[in-house]
Amino acid sequence: MKRNIYVFVMIFFSMLTFAQKTVSGKITDEDGQAIPSASVTIEEPGKDAILAYGITNSKGEYKVTFTSSESNVDLKVKAFNQKPLTKQISNSDQTLSFKMQPEATEIKEVQLKTKMITARGDTISYDLKAFDSKNDRTLADVMKKIPGIEVNADGSILYQGNAINKFYVNGKDLMEGGYGTINNSLPKDAVQKVEVLENHQPVKILQDKIPSDQAAINIKLKNSVTMTGRGEVGSGFGAPWLWNVKLTPMFFGQKSQWVVNYKTNNMGEQVENEGNILAFGSRFEGRRINASQNDWLNVENASTPNLPVKRYLMNSVHYLSANYLTNIDKKKEWELKANANYTNNAVERESYSETNYFATPERPASKVTQNIFNNFYTDKAKGELIFTKNAKKGFFKNTTSFSQFWNADRGVVDRTDPINNRHGEEAIESPTTSFQNSLSTIIPWKEKMVNVMSFINYQTDRQTLDVSPASYLAIPGFIPTSADFVRQNLRLKTFEANHSANIGFSTKGWTFTPEVGFNFKTTNLVSDLSNIITIPSSDPNDPVTPVSAYSNDLKYTTATPYGSVGVNYKSEAWMLYANFPVNSNNIKAEDPMRKVSKEVNKVTFEPSIFAQYTFASFWKASVNANINNNFGEINSAYSGFLMTSPNGINAMDINNPIPQNNNKSAGTRLEYRNPLNNLFFNVNYRYSDAKRNLISNPRINEAGYTIMQYIEQDNHIINNGYSAEVGKYFPKFKTNASVSYSNNTSKSDAFLDNASYTNKNNSQSYGIKFNNTYFSWMSIDYNASISRTKQTSQGGVNSNAARKGFTHNLGVFFYPIENHTVGFNWDQVNTNAGDQKYNNGFYDLSYQFSWSKKKIDFELKWMNIANKKVFETYDINTTNISYTRIQLRPSQVMFTVKFNFK
């Protein structure tokens, strides 16, 4: 397989360099004055297809690279108030300059289809009006319809299938990656255009030295000073009474920007994740993370369906956030940003499941049923302060953030298995405190750059899991004491520090950055399990398990000094960046009470490389490869019994070594984006091989409990995946359409009940998306996907399972009378496994009246018209067949008033 990749890459780049020709020169008027912004296109004779194009700079100079098998091509030059020029030229490298004759250009001729999507250098601009419909109100509504851009369910924005690294408004990064609030609440009427900044390096001092393959989004507003925002107030009928309030005023000025956001509802809309960091910028900006809890302990969780969240989320949420940016010096180089948010959320969830476990040589077939009802309580706050200087002559960024969680979960479970029928009540209290500080600075030193980076993270997690009555834990090998409940206490303290320094120097397009650094992380785990003991053994040589077996006092430390050399190159056509680090990995796990003492000291070489070639104006091709190693975490080293869930009590074998995982991966990508004919597509391939020294050996007993064990044995997980996506906007029909396909195959070594087998999974998906605003009285949005999954196991475990799925969403809006809108929405999710088929359809109907003078909308919406109350699905996998029924939101009616802030 590796040989195939190398051959593929060689052929791939051979094709790229075949028959490439370059035409350059200068465009002037009849007086010899340079003509800037003239378009120069190369076309094949007799064909209405543009091979390549270029735009003249301020000196009238142009350069176009193209590939064609024809002996001659047509060169066309167009400029405002100049007579168009066409000349047939030979297919060869040459320098050609032209003088254009004056000719008045009628205004109507300026309305070219290229105006909706224009390109200049690495910037592609989209005219927002070209893609919106009468029913769109916010930036996010329109962004979903722009060719080449995709908005995921979590709010993250992709360009040509890859995540963006920055989200600007009028060139300023107010949200620091948490751009969901602006995208969802910025009125479309305030936006002039959306700009995609390809190959965007956000650190200005590095823009000509350290390349980037990621794109950024810049939202250009109609006015340089804008006070705007979006609001909604709604009430509805359901069980219980429903409410929905959204208030998001915004201000964008030349010196300062701010956004205040308050959202609350109990109608199933998920708003609490809007502040999540979705774009992380450049590594030279320092490190930023979404602070989260270390969820070691869990109540048993009800299942969630593969549906839009609004169909099943039983919530009561309050989310408040504020973001502020201001320049603190006259040159506007220094910025101060302050961000804060608070979330209070209560969620209910319920599901019923039947799981039939297959028989094995070690256990008979069994059936387990569970009915789970949950309450999840989220209570968290976060504050952040950021100082930034981003200038051509220096860079400084310090980010300080503090997060506090006061979360709690509850579970009520009725369980039936071959051993007993049981009822249990479960509760977790899990407060967490997190503090981070990230510093990065780049200082010019003669012809060099000195970069110093520092990141510190300190976090404490306290978790307590109670299960009552104690008899609910009918786990083989363990018995509760006479107490009414069983309690698991756990404390984690984590300290992490990463420090590095490098010197960068450039010559002839190349930049070299030798770097030294030290990464350190230590975690302390303290736990104890009360009111439960193991069943005494009948073996006189195996005494009763001591109390210490239910406790942990483990310290896990990783210290990694390293040295590396970064190599970067950028030219008009090529972009290359590579890193060659040598790491000295020192890992140690110690728990004197449990007699745990393990360590690894290993030097690793972990290179990574990325190369991209731009050709024929519209094409980009890239290859990448990397090797990395990881050595597990503290959760692979504890040996005292730990009840991570009421489903089971676990402990790692004291003789297990520290995991050592080696991962190799390589990939290639071909990308085409042509703003002249509104066509975008990308093709991707990736291969990876993960080698591990430990392999899991789960054992499932007749009651359906899983006992996790590990075997020391080298094993592999090999993945192959390829995907393609094509999108095009058809101006004549006012339609944006895209199709996508992906195929992923995973092959891994595995164990189950001490039986060795090979597991192979293949998944395929087909997707289609389009929207149409051709008719003045109707607009359509449609998304559909088909998935196929096949799982095959051979060896000690033999199985063959196949699953199919179909999902689609149809939104149709009718405009029978001016300012009146009737909408219909249809979500369909079908599953097919074996001879079981489940079709789940959901329908919504809405009516909206727009008071255009005041820009206020009045909406009446009926959701889940069919009042479908449960979602059913059926699944077949390696160990069992399962049926699941999940509680959904009932039918509900909402009346909402929507408005813009002015």
Side-chain angles (χ1 to χ4, degrees):
M1 177 58 68
K2 294 181 181 178
R3 181 181 178 184
N4 292 341
I5 294 176
Y6 299 148
V7 172
F8 175 78
V9 171
M10 291 175 65
I11 295 174
F12 185 62
F13 273 99
S14 296
M15 292 173 62
L16 298 184
T17 56
F18 176 72
Q20 292 179 24
K21 306 300 178 184
T22 299
V23 180
S24 60
K26 187 174 183 179
I27 309 297
T28 60
D29 60 18
E30 62 177 356
D31 296 325
Q33 297 296 315
I35 300 178
S37 301
S39 67
V40 182
T41 60
I42 302 293
E43 303 179 14
E44 291 188 347
K47 298 181 181 179
D48 185 19
I50 298 174
L51 297 176
Y53 80 102
I55 304 292
T56 58
N57 58 21
S58 59
K59 299 178 181 180
E61 299 169 337
Y62 74 92
K63 184 177 182 180
V64 182
T65 302
F66 65 95
T67 302
S68 175
S69 59
E70 300 289 334
S71 59
N72 296 304
V73 294
D74 288 342
L75 183 147
K76 297 182 179 181
V77 184
K78 293 181 181 179
F80 190 71
N81 281 334
Q82 304 293 328
K83 186 177 181 179
L85 185 152
T86 300
K87 182 174 181 176
Q88 191 168 93
I89 63 174
S90 61
N91 186 355
S92 62
D93 294 326
Q94 53 194 301
T95 300
L96 297 172
S97 297
F98 301 94
K99 280 190 176 183
M100 303 188 74
Q101 301 298 316
E103 180 181 79
T105 302
E106 296 182 20
I107 296 300
K108 66 179 182 179
E109 292 181 7
V110 178
Q111 303 300 321
L112 301 175
K113 69 177 182 179
T114 56
K115 191 174 181 182
M116 64 183 65
I117 307 177
T118 58
R120 177 169 295 182
D122 282 339
T123 301
I124 297 179
S125 300
Y126 299 86
D127 182 2
L128 214 64
K129 288 185 177 180
F131 303 99
D132 71 347
S133 64
K134 292 182 180 180
N135 196 58
D136 294 334
R137 293 294 181 268
T138 66
L139 175 63
D141 293 336
V142 188
M143 288 276 278
K144 297 174 183 178
K145 303 174 182 178
I146 295 177
I149 294 177
E150 183 179 354
V151 182
N152 288 331
D154 64 355
S156 59
I157 298 174
L158 306 182
Y159 173 69
Q160 287 284 62
N162 290 331
I164 62 172
N165 64 0
K166 284 289 182 178
F167 184 95
Y168 301 104
V169 178
N170 281 351
K172 292 184 178 293
D173 182 17
L174 166 65
M175 306 306 290
E176 281 288 341
Y179 53 77
T181 299
I182 291 181
N183 197 32
N184 293 331
S185 302
L186 178 63
K188 67 169 187 177
D189 295 338
V191 181
Q192 179 183 356
K193 59 184 177 181
V194 174
E195 296 178 332
V196 174
L197 314 177
E198 296 186 319
N199 301 321
H200 180 64
Q201 170 57 264
V203 180
K204 293 180 180 179
I205 193 174
L206 302 177
Q207 284 178 349
D208 298 325
K209 300 175 179 66
I210 308 294
S212 168
D213 64 314
Q214 289 186 284
I217 296 287
N218 180 47
I219 307 302
K220 190 170 183 179
L221 304 180
K222 293 178 179 178
N223 301 313
S224 58
V225 178
T226 302
M227 178 69 190
T228 185
R230 185 78 177 155
E232 296 183 17
V233 178
S235 181
F237 305 97
W241 168 75
L242 304 174
W243 76 81
N244 181 28
V245 178
K246 301 179 183 179
L247 302 171
T248 314
M250 309 176 184
F251 174 79
F252 303 100
Q254 295 180 321
K255 184 179 178 180
S256 63
Q257 296 183 350
W258 55 260
V259 173
V260 176
N261 181 34
Y262 173 67
K263 294 183 178 179
T264 178
N265 76 85
N266 69 340
M267 55 171 289
E269 186 170 351
Q270 197 172 41
V271 299
E272 63 273 16
N273 295 327
E274 280 194 345
N276 284 355
I277 302 172
L278 302 173
F280 293 88
S282 165
R283 71 173 291 266
F284 290 94
E285 292 184 84
R287 184 177 172 189
R288 298 185 71 226
I289 60 175
N290 285 310
S292 62
Q293 295 183 291
N294 289 305
D295 293 324
W296 279 55
L297 309 183
N298 297 277
V299 299
E300 295 174 87
N301 288 344
S303 300
T304 57
N306 180 27
L307 284 174
V309 173
K310 65 181 180 180
R311 300 297 183 190
Y312 65 86
L313 182 63
M314 312 286 188
N315 69 328
S316 175
V317 62
H318 297 268
Y319 176 72
L320 175 65
S321 67
N323 299 76
Y324 176 73
L325 176 155
T326 185
N327 290 112
I328 54 179
D329 67 324
K330 293 182 180 180
K331 293 183 178 181
K332 296 183 179 180
E333 291 181 344
W334 283 90
E335 289 180 342
L336 167 65
K337 301 175 190 178
N339 308 319
N341 62 67
Y342 173 73
T343 302
N344 181 278
N345 192 18
V347 173
E348 293 182 359
R349 191 178 298 161
E350 184 176 1
S351 72
Y352 169 82
S353 65
E354 294 180 3
T355 305
N356 290 280
Y357 290 93
F358 303 140
T360 71
E362 293 197 1
R363 58 178 167 82
S366 61
K367 178 180 179 179
V368 176
T369 66
Q370 279 188 301
N371 194 83
I372 303 176
F373 178 82
N374 290 125
N375 289 104
F376 301 108
Y377 301 102
T378 301
D379 200 13
K380 64 179 181 179
K382 178 182 179 180
E384 193 169 51
L385 196 63
I386 304 172
F387 287 93
T388 305
K389 176 186 178 182
N390 192 2
K392 282 290 186 180
K393 295 184 178 180
F395 176 81
F396 176 90
K397 186 170 187 177
N398 190 85
T399 303
T400 303
S401 62
F402 176 83
S403 300
Q404 179 67 51
F405 298 79
W406 302 271
N407 293 355
D409 298 336
R410 302 289 183 265
V412 178
V413 184
D414 290 301
R415 177 186 175 99
T416 302
D417 58 51
I419 296 178
N420 204 348
N421 297 332
R422 299 189 303 281
H423 172 83
E425 297 185 5
E426 308 161 7
I428 282 185
E429 304 292 333
S430 54
T432 294
T433 302
S434 176
F435 171 84
Q436 296 103 32
N437 191 84
S438 174
L439 169 67
S440 179
T441 183
I442 303 176
I443 303 170
W445 178 43
K446 298 181 180 179
E447 300 298 322
K448 302 178 181 64
M449 299 176 299
V450 178
N451 173 222
V452 177
M453 290 189 288
S454 172
F455 173 77
I456 295 175
N457 174 39
Y458 178 73
Q459 181 165 317
T460 61
D461 295 273
R462 298 175 59 248
Q463 299 174 33
T464 302
L465 170 60
D466 287 344
V467 181
S468 64
S471 58
Y472 177 78
L473 294 176
I475 299 173
F478 296 86
I479 57 173
T481 64
S482 59
D484 292 333
F485 67 95
V486 174
R487 171 170 292 175
Q488 176 69 68
N489 288 303
L490 181 141
R491 304 290 184 271
L492 283 172
K493 292 184 179 180
T494 304
F495 175 76
E496 183 177 6
N498 303 325
H499 304 296
S500 65
N502 65 65
I503 298 177
F505 54 93
S506 302
T507 176
K508 297 181 180 179
W510 292 88
T511 300
F512 300 92
T513 53
E515 178 174 306
V516 293
F518 181 70
N519 297 330
F520 177 81
K521 182 177 181 180
T522 181
T523 304
N524 287 86
L525 165 65
V526 177
S527 71
D528 61 83
L529 178 60
S530 57
N531 300 335
I532 197 167
I533 60 174
T534 54
I535 299 174
S537 172
S538 58
D539 184 353
N541 297 319
D542 184 12
V544 176
T545 304
V547 175
S548 62
Y550 304 96
S551 300
N552 288 283
D553 189 0
L554 177 65
K555 183 177 182 180
Y556 195 91
T557 303
T558 302
T560 309
Y562 70 90
S564 69
V565 176
V567 180
N568 300 270
Y569 174 75
K570 183 169 183 172
S571 66
E572 188 172 336
W574 283 95
M575 181 171 68
L576 166 73
Y577 54 85
N579 195 34
F580 302 98
V582 176
N583 302 325
S584 176
N585 303 279
N586 304 278
I587 301 96
K588 195 170 187 178
E590 290 183 305
D591 184 348
M593 179 177 66
R594 300 289 308 128
K595 297 182 179 179
V596 174
S597 182
K598 307 175 184 180
E599 63 180 82
V600 168
N601 298 287
K602 190 172 184 178
V603 176
T604 58
F605 177 54
E606 304 182 18
S608 63
I609 186 169
F610 174 88
Q612 178 179 281
Y613 180 61
T614 302
F615 61 104
S617 298
F618 308 119
W619 294 86
K620 289 183 179 180
S622 63
V623 293
N624 64 86
N626 68 80
I627 299 173
N628 66 76
N629 296 270
N630 65 72
F631 298 89
E633 290 288 346
I634 193 171
N635 57 1
S636 63
Y638 69 90
S639 63
F641 290 124
L642 191 66
M643 184 174 66
T644 56
S645 166
N647 272 331
I649 298 175
N650 304 311
M652 300 300 167
D653 191 326
I654 194 172
N655 296 315
N656 282 346
I658 291 175
Q660 298 184 43
N661 304 320
N662 176 265
N663 305 294
K664 302 181 180 71
S665 65
T668 185
R669 173 182 174 88
L670 181 64
E671 178 181 326
Y672 177 85
R673 67 275 184 277
N674 188 342
L676 298 180
N677 61 12
N678 312 311
L679 177 63
F680 296 77
F681 75 77
N682 61 83
V683 180
N684 304 271
Y685 171 77
R686 189 152 198 87
Y687 170 85
S688 67
D689 179 3
K691 180 183 177 182
R692 306 169 298 174
N693 67 325
L694 294 178
I695 186 169
S696 62
N697 179 29
R699 303 189 67 187
I700 303 173
N701 61 37
E702 62 181 10
Y705 287 104
T706 300
I707 303 170
M708 186 62 71
Q709 298 178 344
Y710 287 86
I711 298 174
E712 187 176 1
Q713 175 181 310
D714 286 347
N715 61 99
H716 292 261
I717 300 177
I718 297 174
N719 287 284
N720 276 283
Y722 53 90
S723 64
E725 183 179 15
V726 181
K728 180 171 172 59
Y729 184 75
F730 301 89
K732 184 177 180 180
F733 303 101
K734 293 186 177 180
T735 298
N736 180 39
S738 68
V739 293
S740 61
Y741 172 74
S742 67
N743 187 307
N744 294 279
T745 301
S746 174
K747 185 178 180 181
S748 60
D749 303 316
F751 270 84
L752 176 66
D753 287 339
N754 291 323
S756 172
Y757 66 99
T758 299
N759 193 52
K760 184 177 180 180
N761 284 278
N762 176 259
S763 62
Q764 300 179 56
S765 67
Y766 308 79
I768 183 172
K769 178 175 68 173
F770 75 86
N771 57 76
N772 177 279
T773 57
Y774 180 78
F775 301 101
S776 61
W777 51 272
M778 180 183 71
S779 62
I780 299 175
D781 294 314
Y782 183 74
N783 295 273
S785 66
I786 298 173
S787 63
R788 303 174 186 271
T789 304
K790 185 176 181 180
Q791 178 178 287
T792 305
S793 299
Q794 294 180 335
V797 175
N798 290 281
S799 67
N800 193 341
R803 294 178 294 275
K804 298 179 182 179
F806 171 73
T807 65
H808 85 112
N809 171 264
L810 172 67
V812 183
F813 298 93
F814 300 94
Y815 316 103
I817 309 174
E818 184 71 21
N819 297 325
H820 294 263
T821 303
V822 177
F824 173 74
N825 188 76
W826 174 17
D827 288 325
Q828 184 73 36
V829 178
N830 299 343
T831 57
N832 183 344
D835 58 352
Q836 300 292 322
K837 298 181 180 180
Y838 293 96
N839 300 328
N840 298 275
F842 303 88
Y843 313 95
D844 304 330
L845 188 65
S846 65
Y847 165 74
Q848 181 173 282
F849 169 71
S850 299
W851 188 3
S852 55
K853 184 177 180 180
K854 298 292 185 180
K855 293 188 177 181
I856 299 176
D857 298 323
F858 301 91
E859 181 188 63
L860 183 65
K861 191 170 186 178
W862 183 8
M863 293 165 282
N864 193 4
I865 296 174
N867 197 26
K868 190 173 183 66
K869 296 182 179 179
V870 295
F871 176 90
E872 297 177 294
T873 185
Y874 185 84
D875 198 13
I876 304 174
N877 56 46
T878 304
T879 62
N880 61 71
I881 299 174
S882 64
Y883 162 78
T884 306
R885 185 173 66 242
I886 303 169
Q887 190 73 24
L888 301 177
R889 294 191 67 90
S891 182
Q892 57 191 41
V893 177
M894 288 288 296
F895 175 74
T896 306
V897 180
K898 305 177 182 181
F899 54 91
N900 291 348
F901 289 101
K902 281 293 185 179

